[in-house]
Amino acid sequence: MNFGLVFAKIALGIGIYAGAAGLLWVFRRVDEELKNCGEKSIRKNWFIYSTLVCIPMLIEVSDMHPAPWFCIGILGVYLAVSSVTDALIFQVYDILQYIGVIGGGILLGYQNPDAGKGVSLLAFAAIQYLLFMRLYGKADGMGYCICALYLSGKGYGLEGYLYHMLIGFFLLTLVQLLRGNITCKGNLQQPIALFPYITIGFLILWCCT
């Protein structure tokens, strides 16, 4: 057994839990809407989404240099906190997007990507900006783009980024059908948070390679 790798995974998991908790504490202090959700509700969602992110990421991740480990930690915090705030108040703070972009950008630069990956990322960003952001909002579109940065490092291209979207919307449709939240015309009766489905779809693809 590689005890160094086990210790690194434990440290990374603790870092994700602690980082997510710290950011949520800050947001709760400055945003009355989030504060009004109640400490118990915030803690419950923090634990659920941090665990959801940590388990597959820590199981799948292998021996790596410090820079990718750091970027994966950033990704875990970004996904967990964005899912919590979207689930509670239907909002993803802009600063979280910057955090995600920085982590994904460092990881992509560290891996010295070829021109094809850059073209795929630009094409996907254009699709999000010109089409999909008009359907579900800027924050969700940014979430897909940030996830694409990380998926690119796992060998995915434009097709993989679109698969990510397809998985997320399939899960969303399935869950909302089971909850009876979809009308006969295919519309949602009550608004729902999309980011948790973005996170789950990403983790499925992340663990498939």
Side-chain angles (χ1 to χ4, degrees):
M1 178 181 291
N2 187 339
F3 289 102
L5 180 59
V6 172
F7 177 79
K9 287 187 176 184
I10 292 173
L12 179 60
I14 292 174
I16 292 174
Y17 276 99
L23 280 178
L24 287 169
W25 181 84
V26 172
F27 293 148
R28 184 171 178 267
R29 298 274 294 183
V30 300
D31 188 342
E32 284 294 323
E33 187 177 4
L34 183 62
K35 185 176 181 179
N36 291 336
C37 293
E39 185 175 351
K40 183 177 180 179
S41 180
I42 295 173
R43 285 184 177 180
K44 181 182 75 174
N45 280 272
W46 160 78
F47 180 78
I48 290 173
Y49 288 112
S50 295
T51 303
L52 177 67
V53 167
C54 278
I55 291 177
M57 290 181 68
L58 297 183
I59 289 175
E60 191 275 341
V61 76
S62 59
D63 191 16
M64 299 168 65
H65 293 289
W69 278 89
F70 175 73
C71 294
I72 289 173
I74 291 177
L75 171 66
V77 172
Y78 167 73
L79 292 176
V81 177
S82 297
S83 296
V84 171
T85 60
D86 197 22
L88 292 176
I89 59 174
F90 298 104
Q91 181 177 344
V92 177
Y93 300 109
D94 288 341
I95 191 173
L96 292 173
Q97 311 290 12
Y98 293 117
I99 291 172
V101 167
I102 290 171
I106 293 174
L107 182 62
L108 192 63
Y110 176 85
Q111 294 168 333
N112 193 24
D114 55 39
K117 287 185 178 181
V119 171
S120 294
L121 287 168
L122 288 174
F124 185 67
I127 292 171
Q128 289 296 323
Y129 180 77
L130 296 173
L131 177 60
F132 290 112
M133 284 187 184
R134 301 184 182 188
L135 301 176
Y136 47 56
K138 181 180 178 181
D140 297 321
M142 284 295 299
Y144 277 118
C145 290
I146 290 169
C147 287
L149 283 174
Y150 284 89
L151 290 174
S152 178
K154 297 281 285 182
Y156 288 100
L158 180 59
E159 184 177 349
Y161 314 150
L162 295 174
Y163 277 143
H164 176 205
M165 295 182 64
L166 182 63
I167 293 170
F169 279 106
F170 172 78
L171 293 173
L172 183 153
T173 302
L174 179 62
V175 171
Q176 298 310 311
L177 279 172
L178 293 174
R179 291 182 174 181
N181 192 35
I182 297 181
T183 67
C184 296
K185 295 182 179 181
N187 298 320
L188 292 171
Q189 297 184 41
Q190 300 293 331
I192 54 93
L194 179 58
F195 215 97
Y197 296 96
I198 295 175
T199 296
I200 295 171
F202 172 84
L203 293 173
I204 291 172
L205 281 183
W206 178 266
C207 293
C208 285
T209 55

